[in-house]
């Protein structure tokens, strides 16, 4: 097939026409247009990594960004700290996509608003309760948290929590003031004491009018209910600006502030205390007390001593409420226990001389509470319908002797109580504890007393027995050498013997016993 010159000219003209039409179409396409002179400048603009459009070179891009920031800022009263990264790519072009300034402005506002959402500091309120701090979005949230704490103990909503400015502080700090909500009654002539007014007038003319003696207040004369309520802790509230991540919602804040949390405390053991009574009074389990005081208590049967300090946990809210209230009761009551001190007895001994019986009475009392715990109770009026009989207890005043470990070191090889016989002739009901130690180890008196045995004692081998002032007895067996004699008085910690391997024994050790009223007990319950 042959192509002549005319065909080639025709084809070339067709291509030129097609290209011309294409260029014209691009000029008139939407979003595109002739920019101006050949090689005119255009700006491709991005904000915080987002493409926000293209403008002609005579546009003021930074001024446009400033407008976008102002527009977004005017929509909120929060503090905004925005990091804006503006990139302007300057190019020469004949044609291309060109946006209006309004379109670019709208896109800029969208990017700015997104940045604001992430970095805006919101007006909020920090509530400080002693050392505890919580942040909430609104002042009304603060009021509701405080009112919830009070309402728990004020079911009739008599009292209202107010936030007042502390004028003694250099900065604006709000504190709390709890006031009684009183409904004002209209003043009328009805109910006024007209006779009292006449009597007052007449007394001015003739002298003092003799007043009738007032009868004692009856039960019905007392104003019952809460007379005063306040927070135990100091509450301070300040306005702050914080990011949303540091704010706590209302329900969660109420939970954190008013719900009881376990806090550590120390309880000092008093005369007559038992683990059971302490656990009941402090609302804590005996096992928990033992667990927290493993250095002092072995188990729930461990002996307490006056003055012992127990670590405990007490459930308390971050914000505690104290209140005073007057109440009327018809109640069964018990008379206070009466004690007869006996200076010849130890404090571990007491005997009941008179059994108690409960009485019945009508009373008006003034009570003070911290949360649900009664702190004081004062009887304002009492009418006894049946007299209570007091319990009378005779108790010892002498501090009983203490017991210490009879040697330094020593490995426990046999506990107190039932065991498999370690060797022929040994007891399966072990009356003490065995502490393995090399022969010749110094043995000391666990407590002071009088030596009642010092010599050979069959299966014990060489044995020392000491009688103590509280009536208890300690025994030290399998000794290699006895260093005291019968009738000798020894002090606590005094050297009395050397350990050994005599009698029925499987190796060098000390057999140590404590006997109470002649009965063997676990020595580790008595050793401090």
């Amino acid at each position: 097939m042959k192509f002549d010159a005319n065909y080639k000219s025709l084809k070339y003209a067709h291509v030129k026409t097609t290209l011309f039409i294409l260029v014209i179409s691009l000029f008139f396409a939407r979003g595109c247009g002739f920019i101006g002179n050949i090689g005119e400048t255009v700006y491709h603009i991005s904000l915080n990594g987002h493409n926000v459009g293209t403008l002609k070179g005579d546009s003021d891009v930074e001024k446009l960004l400033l407008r976008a920031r102002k527009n977004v800022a005017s929509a909120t009263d929060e503090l905004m700290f925005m990091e804006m990264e503006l990139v302007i790519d300057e190019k020469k072009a004949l044609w291309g996509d060109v946006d209006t300034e309004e379109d670019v402005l709208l896109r800029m506002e969208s990017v700015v608003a997104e940045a604001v959402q992430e970095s805006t500091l919101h007006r909020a309120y920090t509530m400080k309760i002693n050392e505890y701090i919580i942040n909430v979005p609104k002042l009304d949230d603060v009021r509701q948290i405080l009112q919830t704490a009070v309402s728990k103990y004020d079911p009739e909503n008599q009292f209202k929590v107010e936030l007042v400015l502390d004028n003694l502080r250099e900065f604006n700090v709000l504190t709390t003031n709890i006031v009684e909500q009183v409904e004002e009654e209209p003043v009328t002539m009805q109910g006024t004491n007209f006779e009292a007014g006449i009597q007052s007038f007449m007394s001015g003319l003739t002298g003092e009018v003799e007043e009738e003696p007032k009868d004692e207040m009856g039960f019905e004369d007392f104003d019952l209910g809460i007379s005063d309520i306040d927070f135990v802790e100091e509450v301070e509230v300040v306005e702050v600006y914080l990011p949303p991540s540091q704010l706590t919602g209302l329900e969660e804040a109420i939970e954190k502030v008013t719900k009881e949390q376990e806090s550590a405390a120390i309880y000092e053991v008093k005369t007559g205390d038992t683990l059971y009574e302490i656990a009941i009074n402090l609302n804590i389990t005996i096992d928990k007390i033992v667990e927290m005081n493993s250095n002092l208590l072995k188990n729930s049967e461990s002996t307490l001593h006056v003055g012992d300090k127990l670590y405990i946990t007490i459930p308390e809210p971050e914000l505690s409420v104290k209140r005073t209230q007057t109440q009327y009761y018809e109640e069964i009551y018990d008379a206070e226990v009466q004690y007869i001190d006996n200076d010849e007895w130890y404090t571990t001994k007491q005997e009941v001389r008179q059994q108690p019986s409960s009485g019945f009475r009508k009373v008006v009392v003034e009570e003070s509470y911290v949360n649900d715990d009664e702190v004081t109770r004062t009887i304002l009026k009492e009418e006894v319908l049946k007299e209570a009989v007091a319990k009378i207890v005779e108790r010892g005043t002498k501090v009983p002797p203490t017991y210490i470990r009879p040697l330094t070191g020593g490995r426990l090889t046999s506990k107190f109580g039932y065991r498999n016989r370690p060797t022929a002739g040994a007891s399966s009901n072990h009356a003490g504890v065995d502490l393995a130690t090399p022969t010749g180890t110094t043995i000391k008196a666990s407590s002071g007393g009088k030596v009642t045995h010092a010599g050979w004692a069959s299966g014990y081998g060489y044995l020392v027995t000491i009688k103590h002032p509280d009536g208890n007895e300690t025994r030290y067996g399998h000794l290699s050498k006895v260093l005291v004699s019968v009738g000798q008085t020894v002090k606590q910690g005094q050297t009395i013997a050397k350990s050994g391997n005599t009698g029925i024994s499987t190796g060098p050790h000390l057999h140590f016993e404590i006997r109470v009223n002649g009965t063997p007990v676990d020595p580790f319950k008595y050793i401090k």
Side-chain angles (χ1 to χ4, degrees), residues 143-332:
R143 293 190 181 95
Q144 193 159 343
I145 293 167
L146 298 174
Q147 193 66 50
T148 300
V150 169
S151 297
K152 181 178 180 181
Y153 306 102
D154 177 27
E156 297 181 2
N157 293 320
Q158 294 177 249
F159 294 87
K160 178 183 178 182
V161 181
E162 294 181 344
L163 293 174
V164 296
L165 189 65
D166 186 348
N167 295 320
L168 301 178
R169 307 294 285 272
E170 183 177 352
F171 301 102
N172 289 339
V173 177
L174 298 175
T175 58
T176 59
N177 183 37
I178 303 179
V179 297
E180 187 171 6
Q181 302 188 81
V182 180
E183 294 184 5
E184 295 185 2
E185 296 182 359
V187 178
T188 64
M189 288 299 293
Q190 185 177 1
T192 58
N193 194 336
F194 181 74
E195 291 182 1
I198 291 296
Q199 190 176 43
S200 176
F201 173 75
M202 293 300 295
S203 65
L205 298 177
T206 62
E208 291 291 333
V209 176
E210 184 177 349
E211 294 185 1
E212 295 183 5
K214 293 183 178 179
D215 294 331
E216 183 183 353
M217 289 182 68
F219 287 104
E220 68 282 356
D221 295 326
F222 288 89
D223 291 328
L224 304 182
I226 299 173
S227 57
D228 182 64
I229 193 166
D230 203 352
F231 297 118
V232 175
E233 295 82 10
E234 182 180 8
V235 179
E236 298 174 317
V237 181
V238 294
E239 183 180 276
V240 293
Y241 283 85
L242 296 170
S245 59
Q246 294 186 23
L247 302 181
T248 303
L250 178 59
E251 291 187 9
E252 183 182 354
I254 290 175
E255 178 84 0
K256 287 183 175 182
V257 171
T258 64
K259 185 180 179 181
E260 291 183 340
Q261 315 285 341
E262 288 197 346
S263 57
I266 295 178
Y267 178 84
E268 185 170 340
V269 177
K270 302 185 293 293
T271 301
D273 274 345
T274 65
L275 278 176
Y276 175 78
E277 290 170 334
I278 293 173
I280 291 296
N281 292 335
L282 299 180
N283 192 27
I284 184 174
T285 65
I286 293 177
D287 290 342
K288 186 70 172 179
I289 296 176
V290 173
E291 178 187 342
M292 296 186 66
N293 298 273
S294 57
N295 62 321
L296 186 66
L297 306 174
K298 302 301 179 184
N299 51 48
S300 60
E301 302 299 324
S302 296
T303 302
L304 294 175
H305 300 88
V306 175
D308 284 347
K309 290 182 172 57
L310 301 178
Y311 292 98
I312 56 173
T313 56
I314 299 176
E316 290 181 334
E318 295 293 348
L319 183 61
S320 295
V321 176
K322 59 183 179 181
R323 68 190 187 280
T324 302
Q325 61 186 36
T326 303
Q327 299 290 346
Y328 168 78
Y329 298 106
E330 294 181 2
E331 62 181 15
I332 296 172

Side-chain angles (χ1 to χ4, degrees), residues 476-505:
Y476 313 78
H478 307 303
L479 306 171
S480 63
K481 191 173 183 179
V482 174
L483 302 177
V484 292
S485 57
V486 174
Q488 181 180 344
T489 299
V490 296
K491 296 180 180 180
Q492 185 181 61
Q494 181 178 331
T495 299
I496 59 173
K498 299 291 184 180
S499 67
N501 189 27
T502 59
I504 301 175
S505 174

